Amino acid sequence: MVQYLLRRLLVAVPMLLGAMTLVFFAMRVLPGDPCVAMMGDQATSEALSDCTKNLGLNRPLAVQYADYLWRSARFDFGKSFRHGYPVSEYIGRMFPYTLVLVLASAVVAAVVGIPIGILSALKRRNPLIDYPLRIFALLGLSMPVFWLGILLLIAFSLRFDLFPLIGGGDLDGVMAMIRSGEAFSQPADFLRAVGDVLHHLVLPAFALGFTLAATVSRLSRSAMLEVISQDYIRTARAKGHDERAVVYKHALRNMMVPLLTIIGLFVAIALTGTVLTETVFTRPGLGKMLVDAITARDYPLAQGAITVFTMIIIAVNVVVDMLYAVVDPRITYR
Amino acid sequence: MAITRDAIAPELTATIAREEARQRSFGRQLRRYGPIVIGALMALAMIVVAAAAPLLAPLSPSAQFGDAVLKGPGSIARHVLGTDEFGRDLLSRVIWGARVSLEVGLISVVFGFVIGVPLGILAGVQRGRTETAIMRCADMLMAFPTLLLALIIVAALGGSLVNEMLAIGVALMPNFVRLARSLALTIREQDYILAARALGGGQLRVMARHVFPNALYALVVVATLYIATAIRTEAGLSFLGLGVPPPTPTWGNILSEGRQYIKCCPWLTTFSGLAIMLAVLAFNLVGDALRDLLDPRLRGE
């Protein structure tokens, strides 16, 4: 097991390296100078060359690359060109926003998607149930999250004024209150701040969650179909168990393995979804940070964001692989 | 006297006849072929709209009407779907936007297919180190979700029609590599491949003349589904401002520009988004239905 874990991590290293290399060179081949992007077209040539020197962009590309890799290995992604403060700090501040969004949308997607998937697998012979469910899945799969987001904003923020139009609430403040212990000394303030964060979270989480629910329902549907066609299900039925026991005791438990695969896929899809969701809801977070950094040619920030994205995806995949062995003792790792 | 089934079990015959009638019944046929017909019609409509955009669009997509800035649908007879902040006709822009979506959708899938499928077949037929090398690279790319990978590439190359096709094509490619390999792995064990080799067919000939044609059907079905993915990704990139730059109308950038005016003018975002959804839905329907017909076991996957 430990050996397997080590090997998985070793495989993850070239993956991460590949991703980082891709990002590094991608950011540099593009036309457009970060200094010009920062200082505008009117900047004098001295100012520009000063800026280039300060950012270390006048060094040979190979040196910049080696420097970048070496620093990244120590979680030092440099300083944001635009904001001046360290990228890791920036990422640390944005991460909680994205995390709560992914978690909240995961809850929505699971609560909506998994029962729908299972139901549509079990009732696939009944067109009155199967058909609407399949249409729902197709609609969710085809609906771009940014459009759904805008529709929700038009309906619930503008028309009924139930939810805020932009922002993510003061999650920074909530985190600070937890760290300082204020959360316990002044629970009323803390709860109000948490409530505000949740208030900002409802629409984005629903938009992202709904589009993901379609994917989740399809995946859990096919997982259920696979399990239900196994011999042990037939055996259970043949033994005379009623359908409920078959589903809960035999099918659902064996769905854990495919379900884990779903979770692994889900994190990757959800993280990408945050890029669009955070942009449409003008919500702080890693995804919006990445898009802003790319638009502003803020190399270190964009590199840092993508490196973190890749790390999360790889880490989740490794963890999911490990969990397979936990939920299904037949799977062992050599 | 010959013993007929009727003589033994008349009720069985009746059951079979009833079952056959059920299979033939209109409802059954509709359930089976309805989605594919609807999807195909929608996709066809989109292709026609994109191809005939200059004929169908009532006005030029870039013409600015100073007297009709941000007018709602129907408030001026000339502008059926209303106008944007420059007084441009939304209907015409949405019609022209179909071009970009469809071009990117089709060409990027073709690109991913043309690069990915030969690599996948090579990996599946050749096995050994070639396979390991190809699959490792494909797995590495697969770790990135499509939009994220396309985003990185397009950020590097800059937003333009060709770059977008390239970026989405590369992002889709590993999917084709994987599928082509798994198909090739099955096909290479078939007797006709053995026969082809026995007749002196070289590796390249076997791959091109025997493995590829036998994998083609499944590959094309899945490619249809990836057109939907490509269109959605294109819209996403455009929405983020990383796609084809304005003033060329794309559904994504119409939506993105319209976002500033959702308070007064929700029609801008509503119709462009609706266009994206219908287009993606069309190709999803066709791809789904084709796959069901091809292999019922893959249903709903």
Side-chain angles (χ1 to χ4, degrees):
Chain A
M1 185 77 174
V2 174
Q3 221 180 1
Y4 176 81
L5 182 66
L6 282 177
R7 218 176 38 215
R8 269 312 299 252
L9 288 176
L10 274 180
V11 174
V13 168
M15 238 161 115
L16 200 57
L17 200 67
M20 286 164 71
T21 309
L22 183 72
V23 176
F24 178 84
F25 289 103
M27 290 280 105
R28 272 156 183 82
V29 289
L30 49 132
D33 189 316
C35 286
V36 175
M38 266 192 300
M39 304 168 86
D41 298 332
Q42 264 84 50
T44 60
S45 58
E46 289 109 71
L48 280 180
S49 78
D50 263 7
C51 162
T52 312
K53 206 186 242 163
N54 284 339
L55 298 179
L57 293 171
N58 56 343
R59 296 172 301 165
L61 206 57
V63 175
Q64 289 185 45
Y65 177 61
D67 186 52
Y68 158 64
L69 286 186
W70 173 236
R71 283 163 178 274
S72 303
R74 294 172 295 160
F75 284 95
D76 172 7
F77 300 112
K79 282 184 178 150
S80 158
F81 286 172
R82 242 177 352 147
H83 308 285
Y85 43 88
V87 169
S88 43
E89 192 181 299
Y90 207 86
I91 289 174
R93 263 187 54 210
M94 290 302 150
F95 182 73
Y97 285 97
T98 301
L99 184 70
V100 291
L101 176 59
V102 169
L103 288 179
S105 62
V107 171
V108 174
V111 167
V112 177
I114 293 177
I116 285 183
I118 291 173
L119 196 68
S120 83
L122 294 177
K123 305 278 181 198
R124 65 189 178 285
R125 309 244 181 270
N126 182 349
L128 283 180
I129 295 178
D130 185 43
Y131 234 50
L133 291 182
R134 288 189 82 180
I135 289 172
F136 164 83
L138 263 175
L139 279 182
L141 218 58
S142 307
M143 169 123 38
V145 61
F146 48 91
W147 187 50
L148 180 58
I150 285 179
L151 293 182
L152 289 175
L153 282 176
I154 291 175
F156 295 104
S157 292
L158 294 173
R159 190 142 193 108
F160 296 119
D161 200 20
L162 291 174
F163 297 102
L165 197 54
I166 57 167
D170 190 13
L171 192 56
D172 277 346
V174 171
M175 302 296 283
M177 281 165 119
I178 293 174
R179 268 195 299 272
S180 67
E182 245 178 279
F184 306 102
S185 59
Q186 279 149 313
D189 286 357
F190 178 68
L191 285 180
R192 200 175 311 121
V194 169
D196 188 46
V197 168
L198 291 177
H199 193 208
H200 280 86
L201 194 59
V202 174
L203 289 185
F206 186 78
L208 186 56
F210 178 76
T211 50
L212 293 170
T215 312
V216 170
S217 80
R218 297 197 127 198
L219 291 168
S220 45
R221 177 189 150 99
S222 59
M224 192 68 192
L225 280 181
E226 197 185 314
V227 169
I228 212 103
S229 63
Q230 297 289 327
D231 288 341
Y232 52 76
I233 297 294
R234 195 181 316 149
T235 308
R237 288 213 177 105
K239 285 197 304 186
H241 282 315
D242 68 308
E243 193 60 25
R244 227 198 229 296
V246 173
V247 170
Y248 286 106
K249 292 243 169 80
H250 297 264
L252 272 183
R253 287 185 189 177
N254 281 292
M255 246 184 82
M256 290 304 283
V257 171
L259 210 61
L260 274 175
T261 317
I262 296 174
I263 294 171
L265 279 169
F266 179 85
V267 171
I269 304 171
L271 270 181
T272 324
T274 63
V275 175
L276 294 166
T277 313
E278 286 167 359
T279 304
V280 79
F281 287 99
T282 330
R283 197 187 141 78
L286 289 179
K288 185 159 181 357
M289 182 184 94
L290 172 64
V291 175
D292 290 348
I294 288 175
T295 318
R297 307 253 162 283
D298 194 337
Y299 301 158
L301 199 55
Q303 282 165 0
I306 292 175
T307 312
V308 169
F309 268 85
T310 317
M311 280 190 202
I312 296 173
I313 293 171
I314 292 174
V316 169
N317 280 321
V318 172
V319 171
V320 164
D321 272 1
M322 299 287 110
L323 286 178
Y324 281 144
V326 177
V327 295
D328 188 346
R330 286 169 304 179
I331 300 176
T332 51
Y333 293 104
R334 275 175 297 122
Chain B
M1 195 186 100
I3 301 172
T4 62
R5 197 176 57 195
D6 269 2
I8 298 168
E11 67 278 4
L12 183 66
T13 309
T15 314
I16 291 173
R18 232 179 295 126
E19 177 60 27
E20 276 170 0
R22 204 171 68 86
Q23 295 275 354
R24 275 195 310 269
S25 77
F26 180 69
R28 181 102 186 157
Q29 297 281 328
L30 192 71
R31 261 185 78 194
R32 183 142 193 209
Y33 298 108
I36 195 167
V37 170
I38 294 170
L41 284 179
M42 280 164 71
L44 193 71
M46 185 190 169
I47 293 170
V48 169
V49 165
L55 301 173
L56 286 175
L59 297 158
S60 155
S62 52
Q64 303 183 358
F65 295 90
D67 58 332
V69 171
L70 292 172
K71 287 282 186 280
S75 65
I76 298 180
R78 189 176 60 200
H79 305 291
V80 178
L81 294 187
T83 57
D84 68 3
E85 72 273 28
F86 297 113
R88 294 176 296 192
D89 182 50
L90 183 61
L91 176 63
S92 306
R93 289 178 69 71
V94 169
I95 288 176
W96 278 86
R99 282 205 156 180
V100 175
S101 286
L102 201 65
E103 277 171 0
V104 174
L106 293 178
I107 296 177
S108 59
V109 167
V110 169
F111 180 79
F113 190 100
V114 167
I115 310 276
V117 168
L119 283 173
I121 290 180
L122 182 68
V125 174
Q126 196 84 21
R127 310 297 309 267
R129 258 186 223 158
T130 320
E131 186 185 22
T132 315
I134 292 174
M135 292 323 288
R136 278 286 143 76
C137 292
D139 283 346
M140 201 177 90
L141 288 178
M142 282 288 266
F144 290 97
T146 312
L147 180 73
L148 192 60
L149 190 56
L151 192 100
I152 299 169
I153 299 171
V154 112
L157 301 174
S160 78
L161 190 63
V162 177
N163 291 345
E164 233 184 336
M165 292 171 182
L166 216 72
I168 298 173
V170 171
L172 291 177
M173 187 186 67
N175 299 296
F176 285 109
V177 175
R178 273 205 167 172
L179 182 65
R181 170 180 163 267
S182 70
L183 289 168
L185 283 177
T186 330
I187 294 171
R188 76 192 288 270
E189 304 299 334
Q190 303 294 318
D191 288 342
Y192 53 79
I193 298 296
L194 193 66
R197 283 195 205 283
L199 286 171
Q203 192 77 305
L204 198 65
R205 190 187 162 82
V206 167
M207 286 192 277
R209 298 291 298 275
H210 300 278
V211 177
F212 175 66
N214 283 295
L216 190 60
Y217 188 41
L219 286 168
V220 167
V221 168
V222 173
T224 319
L225 284 173
Y226 284 122
I227 294 176
T229 311
I231 291 177
R232 212 181 32 198
T233 311
E234 192 283 326
L237 288 175
S238 281
F239 171 73
L240 293 172
L242 298 167
V244 181
T248 308
T250 72
W251 293 338
N253 72 26
I254 298 172
L255 207 150
S256 167
E257 284 170 13
R259 200 159 71 90
Q260 301 159 34
Y261 302 99
I262 52 171
K263 258 193 186 125
C264 69
C265 321
W267 58 88
L268 291 170
T269 47
T270 308
F271 292 117
S272 49
L274 190 64
I276 299 170
M277 197 187 87
L278 290 178
V280 176
L281 185 65
F283 286 98
N284 269 335
L285 274 173
V286 174
D288 252 19
L290 280 179
R291 193 169 46 181
D292 285 0
L293 293 177
L294 173 77
D295 182 0
R297 275 175 309 144
L298 290 175
R299 257 185 77 170
E301 210 175 81

